[in-house]
Structures are given as C-alpha cells and as structure tokens.
Amino acid sequence: MASSIATETKTTVHSDLTDDQLRYLGYVGRLGRLIRSSTRYLAYTSDVGEAFRPVVHPSIVKAAYGVSWAYVIVDVSSTGYLERRKPGATNRDVGEVVVKRAVFQSLASMALPAFTIHQTVHLASSLLKRTTRNVMLRRWGPTIAGLAVVPALPFIFDHPVEWAVEKAFTYIGFGEREHQHSPESTDAEAKKEV
C-alpha cells in the first residue's frame, strides 16, 4: 500500500509540473539565446536587400538599408551606454569605445559586405547573361548567388576588421589611458618606486 501511495504521489506531482505555466520558461530562455545570437544578422539585412536588387523595387532595398543602419546605431549606442555604466568611466573612455565600435560596424556590417554582395550579384549577372538563355535563371540567379554569400559574411569580415580596427586605434593612440591605469601597470609602477 505504501508503494501505491508513493506512485500516486509521483504521478500527481509529475502532472502538476507538466500543467504548470512555468514549464514554458525553458523555451523562452532558448528563444532569447536564439534571438541574441541571430541579431548580428540584422546588420546584413541591407545585403539581403542588395541581393534582391535585380528583382524588387528600389524602395525595398532602401528599407533593408534602414534596418541595417538602425542595428548599427543601436549597437554603437548600447556599447557606449555600457561603457558609461562602468565605474570610473570618463567621457574620453566612452568616446573611444563608441568611435571604435562605429568604425567596426561601418566597415564590417555595412561597407565591406555591401561591396561583396554587390560584386557577387554583378558578376553572377554578367556570367549568366553570357552562358544561359533561361530567362528565369538570368533573373533569379544573381539573387541566389548573393543570398548564398550572406551567411558567410560575419566569418569573412568580423574578426579581420576587429583586428584591423584594434591595430589602427592602438597605432593612433586610442586606448593608451586604459593601459596606463590598468592594475598591471599600476603594480609595475609601484614596484619601480620601491
């Protein structure tokens, strides 16, 4: 009899858990991670628009650029806001972070990908005009070629542009104050004085 009560209790607890609304929080957490990881691709909305340029109205392409620039503005603004919230952050620190992020986003999210997709679509269009008479392929082939490149854009540009921006800003003197006031440099200066 004791075992039947235990089984009955387990069943009741189990059914209560499955009927509870809290069980959906796991899905919300997964959805949140998916959204955060895929927001980087919002920057490439303009490139999707650029890929569709041969087959859609120009206003759609402009709207896609609007979405991309909105992403860049939000990203740069939030980076500056987070830097401002750090203890001891100065206006110069915030300015340096914002300028670096704006340069990175302008290059890695807008200029280089737009050039890449534009060239891909142009080359595919030229190639298909010379090699096929299929009207549907000539119309949609360049768009398909452009769309095929979009998923690779973060892998092609993000790391190299980030590295180049860091090197360039280090060369011109941005970030020197961070190094001068870092705990490692403070410890080294204290040892020199002793």
Side-chain angles (χ1 to χ4, degrees), residues 1 6-7 12 22 26 48 59 62 69 77 82 92 100 162-163 174 178:
M1 178 151 182
T7 306
T12 305
L22 293 177
V48 171
S59 63
K62 288 179 184 177
W69 279 112
S77 300
L82 292 174
R92 178 184 168 131
K100 281 169 80 172
E162 186 175 9
W163 178 85
F174 269 50
E178 292 173 13

Side-chain angles (χ1 to χ4, degrees), residues 74-102 166 174-179 181:
V74 168
D75 182 67
V76 170
S77 300
S78 65
T79 301
Y81 174 76
L82 292 174
E83 182 66 22
R84 170 50 75 198
R85 294 198 52 177
K86 289 182 180 176
T90 64
N91 287 340
R92 178 184 168 131
D93 298 334
V94 174
E96 287 177 2
V97 167
V98 166
V99 169
K100 281 169 80 172
R101 192 65 180 179
E166 284 297 322
F174 269 50
E176 286 182 2
R177 293 186 58 206
E178 292 173 13
H179 177 68
H181 299 293

Side-chain angles (χ1 to χ4, degrees), residues 10-172:
K10 287 180 185 177
T11 306
T12 305
V13 170
H14 184 279
S15 67
D16 286 345
L17 287 176
T18 57
D19 293 338
D20 191 13
Q21 296 299 319
L22 293 177
R23 70 187 174 119
Y24 293 107
L25 286 178
Y27 297 117
V28 171
R30 289 180 191 155
L31 182 61
R33 281 193 299 275
L34 177 65
I35 289 170
R36 279 192 302 276
S37 67
S38 63
T39 54
R40 177 71 180 113
Y41 282 100
L42 280 176
Y44 300 111
T45 305
S46 60
D47 303 310
V48 171
E50 195 65 47
F52 275 98
R53 185 179 290 276
V55 294
V56 298
H57 193 271
S59 63
I60 294 173
V61 178
K62 288 179 184 177
Y65 272 97
V67 171
S68 292
W69 279 112
Y71 167 82
V72 169
I73 291 167
V74 168
D75 182 67
V76 170
S77 300
S78 65
T79 301
Y81 174 76
L82 292 174
E83 182 66 22
R84 170 50 75 198
R85 294 198 52 177
K86 289 182 180 176
T90 64
N91 287 340
R92 178 184 168 131
D93 298 334
V94 174
E96 287 177 2
V97 167
V98 166
V99 169
K100 281 169 80 172
R101 192 65 180 179
V103 169
F104 168 79
Q105 287 291 0
S106 296
L107 291 172
S109 298
M110 299 303 293
L112 295 173
F115 176 76
T116 303
I117 297 298
H118 178 76
Q119 287 303 107
T120 301
V121 170
H122 177 72
L123 291 172
S125 180
S126 297
L127 179 68
L128 291 171
K129 282 180 184 176
R130 287 192 314 253
T131 60
T132 186
R133 291 178 191 236
N134 185 329
V135 176
M136 192 66 113
L137 185 58
R138 289 171 101 179
R139 179 180 167 114
W140 287 97
T143 297
I144 293 167
L147 290 174
V149 175
V150 171
L153 292 174
F155 303 105
I156 296 170
F157 295 120
D158 282 4
H159 182 68
V161 170
E162 186 175 9
W163 178 85
V165 168
E166 284 297 322
K167 289 294 182 189
F169 276 77
T170 300
Y171 181 76
I172 62 173

